[in-house]
Amino acid sequence: MTNPIPPLAADDPIDLLTPEACSLAPQYFDRIRELDPVAWSERHKSWIITGHHELDEAFRDRRLSTERMGAFRSRLPERRAAALSAAIDLLEGWMLFHEPPTHTRLRAPLKRSFTPKAVGSMTELVAKLVDDQLDVMAADAAENGGITDAVESFAHPLPAAVIAELFGVPVDERGWLPGWSDKFGLVVFGAVGRDDYEEAAREAGEELGSAIGDLMDRYRSEPEENLLSLLLQREDQDDGLTTAEILGACSLLLFAGHDTTSSLTGSAILSLLAHPEQAELLRDGGVAVEPAVEELLRMDAPAKAMIRTVAETHERGGHELVEGDSVFMGIIGANRDPEVFDDPAVLQLDRSPNPHLTFGYGHHFCLGAALARLEIRSAIPAMLRRFPDMEVVGETTWKASISDRSAASMPLRLA
């Protein structure tokens, strides 16, 4: 399959926010990799790593750091710092933005809730939530001539329900979560050019503090079998988190557990509809679901790039990366590197081996990987069986983001 975008020339600007870079992100990152697997973007003042070998090494290299909250705070004008204060306080509790030993301390209390065994205990619950949401999807289509926006009716609300169950957010108190995730995404992905940026950031910080703060008060006095109660049992103890860090951990898991899996679900649907013979295999049991999920994870990863900062000047890919430089870890490009994957632009649900880098690597490997796999393993085959003739109608639109790969709308005809 040929790349529908012309190759990049050496003097072409690399801009990850152009319409084609957002709507055709995998193909755009192919262009960057073909130009140079370690390329400089003058537009973003950042290095972009898209070669699989180069990125695999980079994930393991401590000279590339995720520590950036101090620099982020120092660059904020006073007025903006005040507007973002509550949101930034939450980000300070994200293990993602710290290196060991702080990263290790923040991650440790959460690890046991995300082991494959712990996540496996949620299998029946996730299957029920999937069936419930498919009912919602069908009802929405019935009211709209057989057409539904799969992002709004399925991909967005399903992971919100799963992560809310994990944290113990009551069913009648979950309405804020999808909207909050969208607002907080503006802060996480740095959409500072938007007119509503400061207002959304302020609201996101205050909303989470209010919603989770009330739950924390409840579960301190009456703990239940959920992750929030578990964290509160060790609150402010030597092996636990502070109150502020618990709020930060909640914001990370609620956002990442919702936004990332929502993005992945949408992309998986589109990948299968673009390869109907593969969709039929998965629907009818002609391919095992485990390798199929890994291939869907590879094909169109929910993150275009993870961001690092050069902590120590060094050479990489024939270039000098200077201390303080920004680096985009271009997962979506590395996952399609023909040096590693045969026919990388083609969906092959039985692909083996499949060393994709969708969840990162090393000590920053995605904590929620097992949960994301469970949700996709349950949701996608169930949707294919429920709506075997579904098809895309109209145009799928994509959110404009440097690092996030997420559909904004996806009209499907179900019948």
Side-chain angles (χ1 to χ4, degrees):
M1 185 179 294
T2 59
N3 193 333
I5 311 175
L8 277 171
D11 57 350
D12 283 345
I14 297 175
D15 186 348
L16 302 183
L17 291 174
T18 62
E20 64 182 9
C22 294
S23 62
L24 296 171
Q27 294 88 344
Y28 191 84
F29 274 74
D30 284 345
R31 293 174 64 186
I32 300 173
R33 189 190 59 253
E34 290 159 5
L35 178 67
D36 193 332
V38 181
W40 174 256
S41 168
E42 185 63 28
R43 163 71 174 83
H44 300 297
K45 298 293 189 291
S46 297
W47 295 99
I48 304 178
I49 303 176
T50 52
H52 188 282
H53 171 72
E54 291 81 1
L55 188 59
D56 186 42
E57 283 191 343
F59 272 128
R60 305 164 192 262
D61 196 331
R62 295 294 181 92
R63 294 175 298 181
L64 297 177
S65 171
T66 64
E67 294 274 6
R68 54 192 174 116
M69 291 310 300
F72 182 51
R73 282 186 184 274
S74 68
R75 291 196 301 266
L76 287 174
E78 185 176 345
R79 179 179 63 84
R80 176 154 283 180
L84 269 64
S85 176
I88 293 175
D89 286 345
L90 295 175
L91 293 177
E92 289 281 11
W94 282 35
M95 70 188 84
L96 186 65
F97 296 144
H98 295 281
E99 293 293 338
T102 301
H103 172 274
T104 306
R105 183 180 63 79
L106 293 174
R107 187 180 177 108
L110 303 168
K111 285 173 61 176
R112 58 183 174 271
S113 295
F114 289 93
T115 63
K117 181 178 180 180
V119 169
S121 69
M122 299 178 64
T123 300
E124 290 186 9
L125 170 63
V126 170
K128 181 183 183 306
L129 293 173
V130 167
D131 287 341
D132 290 346
Q133 204 58 51
L134 289 174
D135 289 343
V136 172
M137 195 177 182
D140 182 69
E143 294 177 1
N144 294 282
I147 297 174
T148 183
D149 180 346
V151 172
E152 183 176 337
S153 66
F154 190 77
H156 215 44
L158 174 63
V162 173
I163 203 71
E165 288 281 351
L166 182 69
F167 270 91
V169 182
V171 174
D172 59 352
E173 297 178 26
R174 298 175 184 174
W176 58 274
L177 181 53
W180 171 82
S181 182
D182 287 339
K183 294 174 189 173
F184 203 59
L186 300 182
V187 184
V188 176
F189 298 125
V192 294
R194 288 182 48 146
D195 294 338
D196 60 346
Y197 176 72
E198 290 183 10
E199 179 183 357
R202 182 186 296 108
E203 290 178 355
E206 292 173 353
E207 282 176 8
L208 186 102
S210 174
I212 298 299
D214 290 345
L215 277 179
M216 289 170 69
D217 290 340
R218 182 186 312 174
Y219 291 141
R220 281 192 188 99
S221 58
E222 299 177 8
E224 297 182 8
E225 292 292 325
N226 56 57
L227 178 54
L228 187 53
S229 294
L230 186 66
L231 293 176
L232 290 170
Q233 288 174 12
R234 312 300 300 175
E235 185 178 14
D236 292 323
Q237 297 186 25
D238 290 344
D239 60 346
L241 304 179
T242 67
T243 302
E245 288 168 346
I246 290 175
L247 277 172
C250 288
S251 69
L252 167 62
L253 297 174
L254 287 169
F255 175 77
H258 172 257
D259 185 80
T260 303
T261 310
S262 173
S263 302
L264 175 58
T265 303
S267 294
I269 294 169
L270 287 178
S271 293
L272 286 164
L273 293 182
H275 296 79
E277 74 292 342
Q278 294 291 295
E280 183 179 355
L281 281 173
L282 183 56
R283 184 187 67 231
D284 297 340
V287 63
V289 70
E290 288 78 10
V293 168
E294 298 309 306
E295 177 68 346
L296 292 169
L297 285 164
R298 180 199 71 83
M299 188 65 175
D300 201 345
K304 298 178 190 173
M306 297 178 182
I307 300 174
R308 300 287 189 269
T309 301
V310 179
E312 177 186 332
T313 299
H314 63 280
E315 186 274 338
R316 189 174 301 278
H319 305 279
E320 183 182 48
L321 277 61
V322 177
E323 181 179 351
D325 283 353
S326 292
V327 179
F328 293 165
M329 314 284 265
I331 296 165
I332 207 166
N335 280 354
R336 290 162 58 102
D337 190 337
E339 299 257 337
V340 176
F341 303 99
D342 294 332
D343 296 323
V346 176
L347 187 74
Q348 299 176 18
L349 294 182
D350 60 352
R351 185 184 295 273
S352 180
N354 193 343
H356 65 77
L357 297 172
T358 296
F359 292 122
Y361 205 87
H363 61 284
H364 283 295
F365 183 81
C366 177
L367 183 70
L371 182 58
R373 285 181 165 115
L374 171 61
E375 290 184 51
I376 298 303
R377 192 166 65 237
S378 179
I380 300 303
M383 177 185 281
L384 292 174
R385 291 191 295 269
R386 181 78 172 266
F387 307 118
D389 299 319
M390 64 181 175
E391 60 180 349
V392 178
V393 291
E395 181 181 1
T396 297
T397 61
W398 298 88
K399 295 178 183 177
S401 170
I402 290 174
S403 54
D404 185 32
R405 170 65 170 165
S406 184
S409 65
M410 185 190 306
L412 297 184
R413 178 178 288 112
L414 299 188

